[in-house]
Amino acid sequence: MTTDALVHVIDDDEAMRDSLSFLLESAGFETRTYDSARVFLEGVAIISSGCIVTDVRMPGMNGLEMCRHLKALHIDLPIIMITGHGDVALAVEAMKAGVADFLEKPFDDEALLRAIRSVLAQARPGAPPHNSGPFQAFLASLSPRETEVLRGVVDGKANKVIAFELGISPRTVEVYRANVMTKTGASSLSQLIRMALTAGFA
């Protein structure tokens, strides 16, 4: 097992920790589990490889606060956040602070494995940087209303909030959001937001 295949799992839910650890080890990853962000931070000085999978909502210190602590310590391990539907705004804020990806609950096991393999590959020395050129071209193809909806999504706003601000129905927002996903080629909300942030759309 190579050290760059190490995954640090942080979650206050013991059943979730055990489930994620079993999934990841079955897929060939080495895992270490922690029941809080503070416990992880206590030993982070001796951690030099791998990636982090963490819940957003945890007692004592949430995932975003942990991200800020790691940034202050100049520790740049890629972070994947697991979020409930009500935590999307927090997850978007975390991505703006440097989190590599986030997954909304309930998520597919394969989606998590793909996300982990992706962030580990991007973290390797010599990995090609993100190319924002194609996304800039996609942006140009969006209608003004689609652009407004995308801006709301990147701001972490719920569909109902975007709908209220634009004077349209939440269902219409969903339609525009689906159009944006199709035009940009994003396969998930996190990928769409990551593409937009990489391209400087905020």
Side-chain angles (χ1 to χ4, degrees):
M1 180 69 61
T2 59
T3 56
D4 63 356
L6 175 61
V7 182
H8 304 277
V9 176
I10 309 168
D11 200 308
D12 61 302
D13 185 329
E14 183 178 3
M16 177 61 78
R17 290 198 308 273
D18 290 344
S19 175
L20 290 176
S21 180
F22 178 79
L23 169 67
L24 297 176
E25 288 177 359
S26 296
F29 294 102
E30 179 185 354
T31 63
R32 295 178 188 170
T33 60
Y34 313 81
D35 61 11
S36 72
R38 293 195 182 282
V39 169
F40 173 73
L41 289 173
E42 286 173 1
V44 76
I46 59 174
I47 295 173
S48 61
S49 64
C51 71
I52 299 167
V53 175
T54 180
D55 195 9
V56 174
R57 300 282 181 183
M58 293 182 289
M61 178 186 293
N62 66 36
L64 177 56
E65 292 168 336
M66 183 187 69
C67 175
R68 289 171 175 159
H69 274 273
L70 291 173
K71 190 171 184 179
L73 294 171
H74 304 290
I75 295 172
D76 59 356
L77 296 180
I79 301 173
I80 298 170
M81 283 192 174
I82 301 171
T83 173
H85 293 294
D87 295 330
V88 173
L90 184 59
V92 171
E93 185 179 354
M95 289 192 76
K96 292 178 179 178
V99 168
D101 207 345
F102 73 87
L103 297 175
E104 290 183 82
K105 298 176 182 176
F107 55 84
D108 182 74
D109 289 349
E110 274 304 316
L112 175 61
L113 295 175
R114 284 196 302 271
I116 290 172
R117 292 182 183 116
S118 176
V119 299
L120 287 174
Q122 292 168 18
R124 291 190 185 105
H130 287 292
N131 180 8
S132 64
F135 189 79
Q136 294 285 4
F138 289 134
L139 282 178
S141 73
L142 300 180
S143 70
R145 185 63 90 188
E146 288 168 347
T147 302
E148 290 175 327
V149 168
L150 175 59
R151 192 172 301 282
V153 169
V154 174
D155 286 342
K157 296 175 181 176
N159 286 351
K160 289 182 179 179
V161 175
I162 298 173
F164 176 78
E165 292 180 348
L166 298 182
I168 56 180
S169 72
R171 175 57 186 158
T172 302
V173 171
E174 291 177 6
V175 172
Y176 281 124
R177 193 165 115 172
N179 290 345
V180 171
M181 298 278 285
T182 299
K183 288 185 177 181
T184 58
S187 60
S188 64
L189 177 60
S190 60
Q191 184 182 18
L192 175 65
I193 293 171
R194 184 170 60 250
M195 290 165 68
L197 294 177
T198 301
F201 181 88

